[in-house]
Amino acid sequence: MAYPGAQDEAAAKVGTEAFFAAIGRAFVAMCAVVPILFLIEAIDRGIGAGTLDLAGGIIPRRLDGLDGVFFSPFLHAGWDHLYGNSVPLILVGTFALAGGTRRFIWSTVIIVLVSGFGVWIVGDPSSVVVGASGVVFGYLGLLFARGFVERSWWNLAVAAFIGLLYWYQIYNILPTDQPISWQGHLLGLLGGVVSAIAFRRRRPRPATSVYDTTLTDF
């Protein structure tokens, strides 16, 4: 009889059939998310470019922009912005999701909240912040931190590989004069680290015998 979490534990073993199956399922799921983002952007373009962005984006320190914490990851400031986030989102999302669906969902919630509320508090009040890049950086931080807290060389290797692929975007966690929410990137990364610690996979304790093998004197 399999104990709770046994399936996720089996999928965590690199090279096993369960491992590759988990990655395959996660990849398909993340590929299904991206068309939704494109559909939302198409609707925004159809009703007037930027209409949804203004309605659902984060407007720092304004109450009417607070709901953007939840809606902004689904919105993008044009096709180029969406294209730039789509492939990284699929890559990091796939490996984050392969680590377990429940952990992925809760980690995503933490990342969205930390990044979104953080931007609402410290962002430029004259800006409207949209985009999934905070979530992308969150998943990257999740994989990297998970490699340390779970002693998983696999997660570290994946995070390093993706970091090398998109090294030109990593510096966007630093202050810049460009119209980029570096705060959202940095806070998303932090949210990923927090999620990796909070939802880390704990190794099962070795089973103990029903008999006490300790000898005692009578």
Side-chain angles (χ1 to χ4, degrees):
M1 178 178 178
Y3 58 85
Q7 184 176 358
D8 285 346
E9 185 177 334
K13 296 180 180 179
V14 180
T16 64
E17 183 177 344
F19 171 80
F20 290 114
I23 290 180
R25 289 192 300 268
F27 179 74
V28 171
M30 293 308 301
C31 285
V33 169
V34 171
I36 297 175
L37 302 182
F38 274 87
L39 176 60
I40 293 173
E41 183 61 24
I43 293 173
D44 183 45
R45 294 285 150 174
I47 64 178
T51 302
L52 292 181
D53 297 343
L54 290 174
I58 299 174
I59 305 176
R61 297 191 289 283
R62 281 179 47 178
L63 288 179
D64 59 346
L66 187 57
D67 57 353
V69 170
F70 305 101
F71 296 126
S72 62
F74 299 97
L75 304 170
H76 290 82
W79 295 114
D80 289 342
H81 187 203
L82 179 53
Y83 291 142
N85 281 337
S86 294
V87 175
L89 180 62
I90 291 175
L91 283 176
V92 291
T94 293
F95 293 106
L97 177 55
T101 303
R102 189 181 306 174
R103 293 202 303 166
F104 174 79
I105 293 173
W106 283 110
S107 295
T108 301
V109 171
I110 294 296
I111 290 168
V112 168
L113 291 178
V114 171
S115 177
F117 277 116
V119 167
W120 188 81
I121 293 171
V122 304
D124 182 355
S126 64
S127 65
V128 178
V129 181
V130 296
S133 53
V135 176
V136 171
F137 276 89
Y139 290 155
L140 185 61
L142 171 68
L143 294 174
F144 189 74
R146 189 180 283 174
F148 285 103
V149 299
E150 297 183 8
R151 299 178 183 178
S152 170
W153 291 106
W154 166 252
N155 282 295
L156 276 176
V158 168
F161 176 68
I162 295 174
L164 288 174
L165 283 179
Y166 295 97
W167 61 268
Y168 58 90
Q169 290 188 0
I170 300 298
Y171 73 89
N172 285 330
I173 63 174
L174 301 175
T176 175
D177 294 331
Q178 300 297 318
I180 297 173
S181 178
W182 63 270
Q183 299 98 330
H185 299 166
L186 180 59
L187 290 165
L189 192 75
L190 176 62
V193 172
V194 170
S195 300
I197 296 172
F199 306 118
R200 64 188 181 278
R201 179 179 285 117
R202 293 173 174 81
R203 297 180 179 179
R205 296 179 180 178
T208 56
S209 172
V210 294
Y211 299 102
D212 187 354
T213 56
T214 304
L215 298 178
T216 56
D217 293 329
F218 291 96

